[in-house]
Amino acid sequence: MKRSLTKQAAVAAILAGMVQAPSVSATEPGQYLVARGKYVVMVSACHDCHTPWVMGPNGPEPDMSRMLSGHPEGTELPTAPPATEHWVMRTSATNTAWSGPWGTSFTANLTPDPETGLGRWTLRNFKETIRTGRHMGRGRAILPPMPIPMYRNFSDADLEAIFAYLQSIPAIRNRVPEPLPPDASAEVAAK
C-alpha cells in the first residue's frame, strides 16, 4: 500500500510540474502577476463563455478579436426552447447566453472598459464577487453557468493575478444585457 501511494505522489508531483505558470523574470513582479493571471484564465476556461464564439473551419471557436467581452451587444435572440426532461439548460450559438430554470443569463464583459466592463472595478470588488457569488459582492446573484462554487476556492493570489491580467487586456466597449427571469422569456415570446 505504501509503495502505491508513493508512486501516486510521484505522478502527482510530475503532473503538477506540467501545469505551472509561464516563466517570467522575478525582477518584473507586475509582468509575472499578469502572466500568472493569463495562465489561470486560460486553464479555468473563461474564454469558453466570456469570449463570443463563431463558426470556424473546424466548428465553433472563440472569436479572439472579441476576447472576454461577453455576450455581444445588440444580438437579438429568439426565446430559448423549453426545457425538457433531458435538456434542462440551453445556450446560444455564441456560447454567451444561457437559459435554464433560473431564466436567461448573459456572460459579462471582463475587459477593462470603464463603461461596460470591469474598468471601474477594484480588486476588492472582484474578489468579493467571486467569494460571495454576488455582483460586486453585494448585488444580484451571479447566475449559471458561472462555476462560482468552484471559483470561490481560488486563492487570494490567484484572484489578484486574474484581476491584474483582466485589467491588462484591450478594453472592448460591449454592453451586456441584464439577466432575464424565467417568466420574462415567455413574455418576450408572446410579443
Side-chain angles (χ1 to χ4, degrees):
M1 182 73 168
K2 269 188 179 179
R3 177 177 253 180
S4 175
L5 288 176
T6 304
K7 284 181 184 177
Q8 288 174 346
V11 169
I14 291 167
L15 291 175
M18 291 180 179
V19 293
Q20 290 188 4
S23 178
V24 176
S25 168
T27 61
E28 303 167 23
Q31 287 183 5
Y32 174 80
L33 193 63
V34 169
R36 173 74 184 162
K38 179 179 181 179
Y39 166 77
V40 176
V41 164
M42 297 300 282
V43 300
S44 299
C46 300
H47 287 287
D48 288 357
C49 298
H50 289 275
T51 298
W53 287 37
V54 294
M55 190 59 69
N58 298 315
E61 60 188 30
D63 176 1
M64 297 308 280
S65 71
R66 298 186 288 174
M67 179 176 78
L68 301 172
S69 64
H71 182 73
E73 182 176 354
T75 299
E76 297 291 328
L77 296 173
T79 301
T84 67
E85 177 183 350
H86 301 287
W87 292 94
V88 176
M89 191 165 41
R90 285 89 54 218
T91 185
S92 65
T94 60
N95 214 43
T96 58
W98 296 75
S99 183
W102 65 89
T104 302
S105 52
F106 304 93
T107 57
N109 181 349
L110 301 181
T111 74
D113 181 73
E115 299 301 320
T116 66
L118 303 181
R120 292 186 180 169
W121 283 45
T122 65
L123 174 59
R124 181 178 175 182
N125 297 144
F126 184 72
K127 282 182 172 181
E128 288 178 352
T129 296
I130 301 301
R131 297 279 187 243
T132 66
R134 304 199 75 72
H135 184 71
M136 298 194 81
R138 59 192 172 281
R140 67 166 174 75
I142 304 297
L143 299 172
M146 185 68 174
I148 289 293
M150 284 10 111
Y151 285 3
R152 69 172 35 122
N153 295 307
F154 279 127
S155 68
D156 282 345
D158 284 340
L159 291 177
E160 290 164 14
I162 292 168
F163 188 72
Y165 172 66
L166 293 175
Q167 294 298 303
S168 77
I169 64 176
I172 298 174
R173 184 169 179 73
N174 180 52
R175 188 165 308 282
V176 173
E178 290 296 315
L180 301 173
D183 57 344
S185 295
E187 289 174 22
V188 171
K191 290 183 181 178

